[in-house]
Amino acid sequence: MKTDIVIGNGESLKRTPLPKLRHDTFGCNRIHLLPFSPTYYVRVEPPQWDGTSQSFYDECRIHIANGEKCIFPDGDWQTILGDHPNIEWIKTCHHFKYPHTSPKFPRAWHLPYICDANTVITMMQIAVLKGYERIVLVGCDLEGGHFDLTDTGVVETERLTRLHETAKRDCPIPIYNATLGGRLNVYERIDIADL
C-alpha cells in the first residue's frame, strides 16, 4: 500500500524515530533542525508568520539546496525563490487567516484547490492528489509546544481539531495517527513501530 507519512511539528518529534521510517514523508516548517530529511518539504503559511520573511525564505532555501522535493504556493514565492527543478508550485486558498469561529473558516475540503488553513492539512491533501493510498500522521500532538523551542507559534487545539474532523470526513483515503502521545484522537491510532 502506497503510504505517506505526514510529519507535524509537535514536541513528540524529539522522541520519534524519524530516520527509521520506511515510507515517503512530508515535512514542514523547521524540520531541517532534526537529523532527518523528508521526501517532500512543504511550506504554505505567509512569510511573516514566523517573524521575518528573510529567515522564512532562508529556511526554504535550505531544503531546496538539500535537493528535497519542495512544494510551495505559486505567486510571489516564485519571484523570490526562483525556479528550481526540485520545486513544485501549487495553488492554495487563503484560509490560514480565519479562526474556527469565522464563517470563512473551511468547512470542507475543496480539492483539487489545496487548502492552506494548516500545513498538516495541506500535506494530507497533497498526498491525496499524488495518489497515496493511506496517510499516517506523526508529530501531530495537538497540545503543548513544538519540537523546536524557537517556534513560538500557538497550538490552536480547537481550531486544529475542527480541521482534522473535516479531514476525517472528507479525505477519500484512510488516515491513521502514529504520534507518540498527544491529544489528536480523531483518527485511529497505530503503532509507529509498524512503519
Side-chain angles (χ1 to χ4, degrees):
M1 178 176 286
K2 190 177 176 191
T3 298
D4 164 50
I5 299 175
V6 170
I7 303 169
N9 281 332
E11 244 178 321
S12 65
L13 287 188
K14 293 178 189 173
R15 56 187 195 281
T16 301
L18 293 175
K20 294 182 178 180
L21 297 175
R22 300 184 314 257
H23 300 278
D24 288 350
T25 55
F26 279 64
C28 61
N29 304 349
R30 293 177 169 88
I31 197 155
H32 67 281
L33 298 176
L34 295 170
F36 176 77
S37 290
T39 309
Y40 296 94
Y41 172 72
V42 179
R43 194 86 195 232
V44 293
E45 75 278 8
Q48 301 80 1
W49 209 253
D50 67 350
T52 70
S53 49
Q54 182 60 44
S55 64
F56 177 92
Y57 289 118
D58 287 347
E59 181 177 311
C60 292
R61 287 182 184 101
I62 290 169
H63 294 276
I64 295 167
N66 283 348
E68 296 162 21
K69 298 173 189 171
C70 298
I71 302 174
F72 303 130
D74 63 3
D76 293 343
W77 292 48
Q78 282 178 282
T79 306
I80 294 165
L81 293 173
D83 282 322
H84 297 272
N86 55 323
I87 297 179
E88 179 180 341
W89 302 104
I90 58 171
K91 294 198 176 304
T92 63
C93 66
H94 296 289
H95 284 136
F96 61 84
K97 57 189 172 187
Y98 299 113
H100 70 277
T101 53
S102 167
K104 294 186 176 182
F105 182 75
R107 306 283 182 230
W109 279 22
H110 40 74
L111 294 175
Y113 206 60
I114 296 169
C115 187
D116 64 3
N118 170 263
T119 308
V120 168
I121 298 297
T122 299
M123 293 187 290
M124 292 166 66
Q125 292 179 339
I126 292 169
V128 168
L129 293 176
K130 288 193 173 294
Y132 287 90
E133 300 169 286
R134 177 175 79 153
I135 295 171
V136 178
L137 306 176
V138 299
C140 296
D141 300 9
L142 215 61
E143 68 178 351
H146 297 92
F147 76 88
D148 171 36
L149 297 179
T150 65
D151 188 343
T152 56
V154 177
V155 177
E156 300 172 288
T157 303
E158 190 169 348
R159 181 178 189 276
L160 294 174
T161 299
R162 299 275 170 105
L163 288 169
H164 283 289
E165 288 169 349
T166 300
K168 182 177 182 181
R169 184 193 70 217
D170 293 351
C171 185
I173 61 175
I175 305 167
Y176 300 95
N177 187 2
T179 298
L180 300 174
R183 289 178 49 195
L184 181 56
N185 297 312
V186 171
Y187 312 107
E188 181 183 336
R189 294 272 187 160
I190 63 171
D191 190 338
I192 195 165
D194 295 338
L195 303 172

